[in-house]
Amino acid sequence: MNKNPIHNNNDKRYTEIGYNIAYYRKHKGLTQEQLAENLDISRQHLGAIEAPNIVRPVSLELLFNIADALEIDVRLLLDFHDNA
């Protein structure tokens, strides 16, 4: 698959979403296992979403479910700090 600048920018966004999920999960005092169980996904899948060296796209449905499970506004998971 060709990597163009648009896809590269999205890769950075998915990485930031993963960072945000990890931050709010830890802030809530949950392990990956606990959150994954709540979401009915594997811990490995959640780990891949949170991993900074893996680009794992997230569906909107899963993103909404994560926000609900963490009891936060979904916009917080989409708060990008990268100026790119």
Side-chain angles (χ1 to χ4, degrees):
M1 182 163 95
N2 258 344
K3 284 286 190 178
N4 66 39
I6 291 174
H7 288 111
N8 288 335
N9 195 27
N10 288 339
D11 288 355
K12 291 176 188 177
R13 289 177 179 147
Y14 283 121
T15 299
E16 286 216 41
I17 288 169
Y19 280 133
N20 291 340
I21 292 167
Y23 172 82
Y24 288 105
R25 174 184 57 75
K26 291 172 187 173
H27 183 71
K28 189 157 178 69
L30 295 173
T31 64
Q32 284 184 344
E33 185 74 36
Q34 290 168 324
L35 180 57
E37 186 176 309
N38 190 319
L39 297 168
D40 198 28
I41 63 173
S42 71
R43 195 227 31 97
Q44 292 80 5
H45 183 66
L46 181 60
I49 291 168
E50 291 185 1
N53 58 338
I54 299 174
V55 176
R56 178 67 59 100
V58 180
S59 71
L60 283 175
E61 181 176 2
L62 181 54
L63 196 66
F64 294 150
N65 290 345
I66 291 169
D68 289 346
L70 296 175
E71 299 176 322
I72 60 171
D73 191 307
V74 71
R75 290 177 290 182
L76 294 174
L77 299 177
L78 298 170
D79 186 13
F80 303 119
H81 301 284
D82 188 353
N83 295 334

